[in-house]
Amino acid sequence: QAALGPKREKKREVRFGRECAAQAMEHTSGCQRLCQSIFCAIVGFPLVLIGASVLLGWNEKRDVCEQKAILAGDSNYKGVTCTDSSEHEGELVFFNCNLLQDGLAAQGFSGFGRGVFASTLSGYVGTGIKVEAEMLQCTERSESRKDNVGGGTTTYYNYDRAWRSSWIDPYRFHDRDKARDQCAGLQPSWPPEVPPTGSYYVNTVMADVWTLPTSLVRKIPLDTSITGTAPAGWQRSEGSLFTFGTGNSIGDIRIRFKGNNWNNVAVSVLGKNLMGTIQDWVAPDDWLCSGYTLQDLRMGTIEISKMWEMQRAESSGMTWALRFLGFALAWIAFCLLAGPLEVATDCIPCIGPMLGNAVSAIACCVSCLPATACTMGVVGVVWIVMRPMVGIPLIIIFLLVMIGMIVWKCCFAKKGKKVYDSEGGGGDDPGTVVGKQDKQHYSGAVGVLFDANGNAEGALGPFEEEVRAAGDKEACINSIAERWHLVM
């Protein structure tokens, strides 16, 4: 059964004299979990760590190159007016102009089907339309519990009703009968006449004499509700919310449409003037940086200095977000490496799950240190190449952390060996007093000395040195025993 994968079964539980509903379960044995954890440690660890390193390295390079592109743009842009689209042809231009409705009604929204709302939306003209559609559906949730014996896990499945913007396939549920009972039915397919959730835009928009392509049109916010007459069988509530059904039955739908605000038409635009159309401006190539572009649109009338500031802030925010993501991936990678330890501990009867959770928590804490070192190491290497004054300190931190870990490991191992030797495990070393040959004579003396002297460890030191320096160690030990009035 284990070779065939997790087995699914149903069982009926009786609690407090009452029979509970049958529970859908999926059991994974301890052997399966151990094999999976070993696979993740062998395969997942290097893949995730490499992925984290690539992400971190690319992110640092992107940040440096984007900052250089912004500096280049600040040095090369040209301010233009809203009356002549031929100004500074082929150059990076910046302007503050107003959006126009000219030509929008005839374009339509790419990929958008109005469906039953064709008449509702017939009077709307805008740069795009945002659809927020939800269906009341049956959803599956799971809860995994560790077995008390064997190291396996049992996953329980239950079902609830919830509004979801995308259709959930009920045929993928683990127990459709239970889902039907707990949700009072299963959802039908998404109606083709109802537009799905998403944002849809026109291809081009005019800002006075300038043409804005789709890449800039997508930056115009769609945050104003669109109202209209509800289609047959639908109701309109809360002004712009259209509902189908009572709102309490599986398969009921609610939908809302939003467009741009024509009371706020001022835009500030940056990009390359290509025959009156604003395209990407490619920054000059620099050290390890090529092909980085500038093109932006902001609502309202803003100064060019403010736009540069906003772009730098966004680039920095993205950089830090990806740094944390890369660090999290590296952390996960080292946690995967310790995964088999948790599963092996889980196999201990009765207290195994508790010990396994403790091992998992300790491994998680310990994994943070190498993950931090790897993150700083990758970031430092990239910055050494891109910006040495920042990268060198990061590499120094990385090396200090790694050296500290190595020193700690060596000292810990050495300390463990000394403790082992003091208990008789290192008897083959001729330089120790308590060797195999000497232990039978010397251990009694040590015991008496410990009983008579509260600071026996300190008092024993000179005798240790005396035995080490003696040529005939057995004779020396006998001599010490006579001085201590011990019978050998």
Side-chain angles (χ1 to χ4, degrees), residues 20-62:
C20 300
Q23 294 197 60
M25 299 191 312
E26 185 175 87
H27 184 264
T28 304
S29 68
C31 181
Q32 288 174 297
R33 289 186 61 215
L34 185 61
C35 292
Q36 292 170 359
S37 63
I38 293 175
F39 177 82
C40 289
I42 296 176
V43 179
F45 165 70
L47 291 180
V48 176
L49 187 59
I50 291 173
S53 302
V54 171
L55 174 63
L56 289 167
W58 172 84
N59 179 50
E60 297 305 319
K61 178 178 179 291
R62 176 202 58 80

Side-chain angles (χ1 to χ4, degrees), residues 8 39 60 87 99 154 160 187 292 295 335 365 398 440 481:
R8 298 174 183 171
F39 177 82
E60 297 305 319
E87 293 183 82
L99 298 175
T154 301
D160 296 309
Q187 57 268 21
Y292 282 82
Q295 186 192 50
C335 288
C365 295
F398 164 73
Q440 58 181 345

Side-chain angles (χ1 to χ4, degrees), residues 136-174:
L136 187 60
Q137 304 182 62
C138 187
T139 62
E140 184 179 70
R141 56 186 174 86
S142 62
E143 178 187 3
S144 295
R145 304 173 190 170
K146 291 183 178 181
D147 299 342
N148 291 330
V149 179
T153 58
T154 301
T155 304
Y156 297 87
Y157 297 93
N158 289 287
Y159 302 87
D160 296 309
R161 300 194 305 172
W163 290 97
R164 292 291 183 267
S165 59
S166 58
W167 184 66
I168 299 174
D169 187 357
Y171 288 95
R172 304 186 68 176
F173 289 162
H174 288 79

Side-chain angles (χ1 to χ4, degrees), residues 66-67 70-71 73-74 77 92-97 216 219 266-271 278 294-315:
E66 284 188 358
Q67 298 298 333
I70 292 173
L71 289 174
D74 192 13
Y77 86 93
L92 178 65
V93 298
F94 173 78
F95 58 82
N96 302 114
C97 296
L216 291 177
K219 296 188 176 184
V267 292
S268 301
V269 180
L270 177 73
I278 304 303
L294 291 177
Q295 186 192 50
D296 201 3
L297 179 146
R298 307 284 173 167
M299 297 303 299
T301 301
I302 64 174
E303 298 293 332
I304 184 63
S305 59
K306 181 66 174 178
M307 178 167 283
W308 297 132
E309 180 182 339
M310 295 169 70
Q311 287 191 350
R312 290 190 181 97
E314 289 180 356
S315 178

Side-chain angles (χ1 to χ4, degrees), residues 396-417:
I396 292 176
I397 295 175
F398 164 73
L399 293 176
L400 289 176
V401 171
M402 297 305 294
I403 292 173
M405 291 180 62
I406 294 173
V407 171
W408 175 83
K409 180 175 177 59
C410 293
C411 291
F412 181 79
K414 185 176 181 181
K415 181 179 179 181
K417 184 176 185 302

